[in-house]
Amino acid sequence: MRPDAQGGSPFRVRAYPVIGWWEALTCDRMPNENATMSTESQSYQNPLVKRYASAEMLRIFSDDNRYRTWRRLWLVLAESEAELGLNISEAQLDELRAHLDDIDYDRVAEHESELRHDVMAHIKTFGEACPSAAGIIHLGATSCYVTDNADCILNRQALELVRSKLVRLLGALERFALEYKELPALAYTHFQPAQLTSVGKRAAIWAQDLLLDLKEVQFRLDGLRFRGVKGTTGTQASFLRLFDGDIDKVEALDEMVTKKMDFEARFRVTGQTYTRKQDEATLHALSGLAQSAHKISNDVRLLQRLGEMEEPFETRQVGSSAMPYKRNPMRMERVSSLAKFVICEAQNGAWVHSTQWFERTLDDSANRRLSIPQSFLGADAILILMVNVVEGLVVYPEVIQRILKQEFDLMVSENLMMLAVKAGGDRQELHESIRDHAMEVVQARRGGDDDADLLLRLAEDPLFESVRENISEASDPADYIGCSAAQVERFFAEEVRPAIELCGAGGDDSDTSSWDVRV
C-alpha cells in the first residue's frame, strides 16, 4: 500500500470472507479453497470507479497520469535550471526525456516499502532509468514541487472535462427548450397549480442554473494558479543558494517552469504547499453544479410522476423486482443521489483549508486524495446521466393538456382580473371575488362535482360584467403562456450561445459514445 505523500507508515488490513465480524477478527478462517471467487469480488470497489464515472475522468486521476506528470515536472525543472546556467548537460536532459513514460511501478513499490516515501521512491526509480541524470533530478525542490503542481495540472484537466460535458448538456437543453418553447404546461408554486408556463420555458430555467455553473467553472479555470518553484517552506532558499544569491534567476526559474507547464499565473507566495483555498474554490464549483443537477432531477422526477414527461427507459429495463409495471426514474434518482455526495464533499475543501497550520501540515493529504478526485468523478457521472436523460427525454403533450384542462378555468382568472381592472374595476374587490368563487369550485371538485366551473361562476358575477365576452373566448392555453417562447429564444441566443463560444467549445456534436450510463 502507498503511504501518504511525504511519509507516514502504511498499514495493511487482512481481507477476510464475510463470516461475522467477530470471527474475522479472532480466527484465521479463510474461504473454501474450492470456491470460485474473483479477487475483485472479495474487496471493496469504489462505485464511482466501477459503475459511474467516465474513462476520461478516471484516466485523469489515474496513478499513471499523475506520475508521468511528476516526471515531466522534473524534466521541466532541470531544463529551466540548465537554461539559467546550472551545470546540467543536454545529454542528461535527453536521458530524462527518453524515460518520461516507462515507469517501473514494481520498482517504485520496492523502494517505497523501504523508504516509506512515495516521492523519493519515484525519484530513485527515475534515477535508475536515467543513471547519468540521477544526481540532478529534483534539484533544489521539495516533494510539493511535484505533488502540488501535479494536482494543479490534474485539476485543470478535470475542470476542462467538466466544462466540455456542461457545454454538451446546455446544448441538449437548448434543443429541447426551443422544440417545446410554445407547448403550454401548468406551472406550480409550492407544488400547487399556479399559472401557465411552457415546457420549453421550464427547461430554460434549468439551463440558466447550469449556465451559471459553466461560468463558475470557467472562472475557476481562468483563475487556477500553479504552485511553482518555491522550495521547502516557500522561501526559495534552496534555489537562491543554487544560483549563488541571484534572486533574478530564482524568479526567472519560477516563471519559466510555470509557463512551460502552460499556466498563465502562479502563486507568488506559498508555504510548502499552495493555499488549499484553491481546492475549496474548485470543490465549491463542483458543488454548485451538483446543486443545479439535483434541482433539475427533482423537477423531472415529479413531472414523471404526473406523467408529463419521462426519462429514457430501455426496452428490457426492469423498474421493480416486485412490480413489473413500474417505470422508476432511475437515472434522475441517481443524479440526486450522486449530487448529495458531491455537495457534501465540498465541505472537505473548507475544513482542509481552515485547519492547516503555518506553512503546512500533512493532515490534508489523505483527505485531498479522496475528496478532490471523487468530487470530480461524481460531477462527471452526474453530467453523463444528465446528458443521457435530456437527449432522450420523452414529452407527453396529451397528458400535459389533460392536466391543464382540469385547472384551466382557475388559471384564466388572473387574466380576467387584469382586463376587468382595465375596464374600471377595483383590483382588490375583483381578487376577493375570484378567491371566493375559486375556493368553492375547488371544494366542489374535491367532493366529486366534475362540472364545477369557475368561468361559469365569473360570467354570472356582476363584477365581471365588462369581461363576459372575454370569458366566453377563454379556451386556448397558448394565449396564457405570456412571453415564454420569446424568453426562451432570447435566453439561448443572447446568453447561452455566447457563453459556450467564450468557453471555446461548440457543445452540440461531441462524441458521447464513451459516456456509458451504467447500472
Side-chain angles (χ1 to χ4, degrees):
M1 293 180 66
R2 182 174 293 106
D4 283 345
Q6 292 84 49
S9 297
F11 61 91
R12 298 183 182 275
V13 179
R14 185 168 184 177
Y16 289 97
V18 181
I19 55 174
W21 68 271
W22 181 250
E23 282 184 281
L25 290 174
T26 57
C27 74
D28 284 328
R29 175 181 167 185
M30 297 301 291
N32 188 324
E33 291 181 1
N34 297 320
T36 58
M37 186 182 299
S38 68
T39 303
E40 184 178 286
S41 68
Q42 291 178 280
S43 61
Y44 174 75
Q45 304 292 315
N46 187 330
L48 287 168
V49 176
K50 186 177 175 63
R51 299 168 74 99
Y52 301 139
S54 69
E56 298 98 321
M57 191 63 82
L58 291 171
R59 184 199 63 78
I60 288 171
F61 289 103
S62 68
D63 282 354
D64 197 50
N65 188 42
R66 181 178 301 278
Y67 299 135
R68 289 185 185 198
T69 302
W70 284 13
R71 289 198 173 186
R72 281 161 175 77
L73 284 163
W74 280 318
L75 171 62
V76 166
L77 177 63
E79 287 176 338
S80 301
E81 289 173 334
E83 289 174 37
L84 290 168
L86 292 190
N87 186 24
I88 297 173
S89 70
E90 192 63 28
Q92 289 174 309
L93 295 175
D94 284 340
E95 193 172 42
L96 294 178
R97 294 182 188 114
H99 294 281
L100 291 177
D101 298 318
D102 56 351
I103 302 174
D104 184 344
Y105 287 106
D106 290 337
R107 189 62 177 148
V108 170
E110 290 175 11
H111 284 306
E112 191 172 348
S113 67
E114 177 185 347
L115 301 172
R116 295 293 189 259
H117 197 290
D118 56 351
V119 174
M120 281 303 302
H122 277 271
I123 290 172
K124 288 185 72 69
T125 303
F126 198 15
E128 289 172 351
C130 310
S132 72
I136 55 92
I137 296 172
H138 201 67
L139 185 58
T142 187
S143 294
C144 284
Y145 167 70
V146 287
T147 57
D148 269 30
N149 282 323
D151 283 342
C152 295
I153 294 166
L154 269 54
N155 291 350
R156 180 176 62 182
Q157 293 171 357
L159 280 170
E160 288 170 345
L161 183 57
V162 166
R163 180 183 63 185
S164 71
K165 292 186 176 181
L166 250 177
V167 165
R168 177 67 184 241
L169 177 55
L170 280 166
L173 277 170
E174 178 181 26
R175 292 188 295 277
F176 179 87
L178 290 174
E179 180 179 356
Y180 294 104
K181 65 185 178 183
E182 295 177 345
L183 179 60
L186 184 59
Y188 297 92
T189 57
H190 317 281
F191 202 27
Q192 301 298 313
Q195 283 294 303
L196 272 62
T197 186
S198 77
V199 172
K201 169 63 189 300
R202 181 176 280 139
I205 293 174
W206 298 338
Q208 181 169 251
D209 284 352
L210 294 168
L211 176 61
L212 294 173
D213 297 321
L214 177 62
K215 290 182 176 181
E216 180 70 12
V217 167
Q218 186 62 51
F219 177 73
R220 295 304 169 194
L221 270 168
D222 291 341
L224 200 66
R225 295 190 179 209
F226 197 59
R227 176 192 177 270
V229 185
K230 298 297 193 299
T232 307
T233 59
T235 65
Q236 299 174 304
S238 57
F239 297 103
L240 189 63
R241 186 173 296 277
L242 281 173
F243 290 111
D244 298 323
D246 190 335
I247 196 170
D248 291 334
K249 286 190 175 181
V250 174
E251 175 66 12
L253 177 67
D254 198 5
E255 184 174 4
M256 288 170 68
V257 172
T258 299
K259 295 293 184 184
K260 287 180 180 181
M261 299 311 295
D262 295 324
F263 278 82
E264 291 298 320
R266 66 190 186 279
F267 287 106
R268 294 305 183 99
V269 292
T270 72
Q272 189 172 93
T273 68
Y274 67 78
T275 174
R276 297 315 188 207
K277 200 166 187 68
Q278 177 161 276
D279 295 339
E280 190 281 329
T282 299
L283 296 181
H284 175 82
L286 299 180
S287 171
L289 165 61
Q291 294 163 35
S292 300
H294 201 308
K295 195 276 181 191
I296 296 168
S297 75
N298 287 346
D299 287 357
V300 173
R301 289 158 62 196
L302 291 169
L303 290 168
Q304 183 154 332
R305 172 61 187 91
L306 294 171
E308 295 192 17
M309 62 177 57
E310 190 172 55
E311 69 176 41
F313 196 89
E314 308 298 338
T315 304
R316 299 291 296 168
Q317 184 174 330
V318 175
S320 167
S321 61
M323 296 165 278
Y325 53 84
K326 292 193 75 178
R327 295 169 69 95
N328 298 334
M330 171 269 289
R331 289 166 171 81
M332 279 308 198
E333 286 180 327
R334 186 180 301 159
V335 166
S336 67
S337 184
L338 290 166
K340 293 177 180 71
F341 174 78
V342 175
I343 292 167
C344 290
E345 283 296 285
Q347 285 294 308
N348 277 305
W351 280 112
V352 164
H353 172 63
S354 61
T355 57
Q356 280 288 285
W357 298 356
F358 300 115
E359 282 66 46
R360 87 119 352 140
T361 47
L362 198 61
D363 56 340
D364 64 341
S365 179
N367 186 294
R368 293 175 69 253
R369 288 182 183 224
L370 295 167
S371 61
I372 296 175
Q374 292 193 132
S375 292
F376 275 111
L377 295 176
D380 179 69
I382 288 168
L383 287 167
I384 291 171
L385 287 162
M386 292 289 290
V387 169
N388 174 265
V389 169
V390 173
E391 291 187 345
L393 203 56
V394 179
V395 176
Y396 296 102
E398 296 81 5
V399 176
I400 294 172
Q401 186 177 20
R402 184 169 68 247
I403 292 173
L404 259 182
K405 186 177 180 180
Q406 295 170 354
E407 309 287 347
F408 186 61
D409 56 339
L410 301 176
M411 306 300 104
V412 171
S413 62
E414 183 181 26
N415 278 26
L416 295 177
M417 181 174 66
M418 295 300 101
L419 292 173
V421 170
K422 289 178 68 176
D426 181 294
R427 192 267 179 199
Q428 307 310 325
E429 189 177 18
L430 291 164
H431 182 279
E432 184 174 350
S433 177
I434 291 175
R435 184 198 64 192
D436 291 342
H437 287 304
M439 293 302 104
E440 291 177 9
V441 166
V442 170
Q443 198 61 37
R445 288 175 178 172
R446 288 173 178 169
D449 183 2
D450 294 334
D451 295 326
D453 191 301
L454 177 61
L455 296 183
L456 292 177
R457 284 173 170 265
L458 295 181
E460 297 172 357
D461 190 324
L463 290 175
F464 289 88
E465 183 176 0
S466 62
V467 295
R468 280 177 183 161
E469 184 177 338
N470 302 92
I471 293 174
S472 63
E473 294 174 353
S475 60
D476 188 356
D479 294 335
Y480 296 89
I481 63 172
C483 302
S484 292
Q487 286 181 2
V488 170
E489 291 174 350
R490 286 198 301 268
F491 169 66
F492 283 101
E494 297 176 10
E495 293 203 38
V496 176
R497 280 289 125 196
I500 287 175
E501 291 168 8
L502 190 65
C503 291
D508 290 342
D509 302 314
S510 56
D511 180 24
T512 59
S513 59
S514 63
W515 297 13
D516 182 25
V517 179
R518 286 171 280 184
V519 297

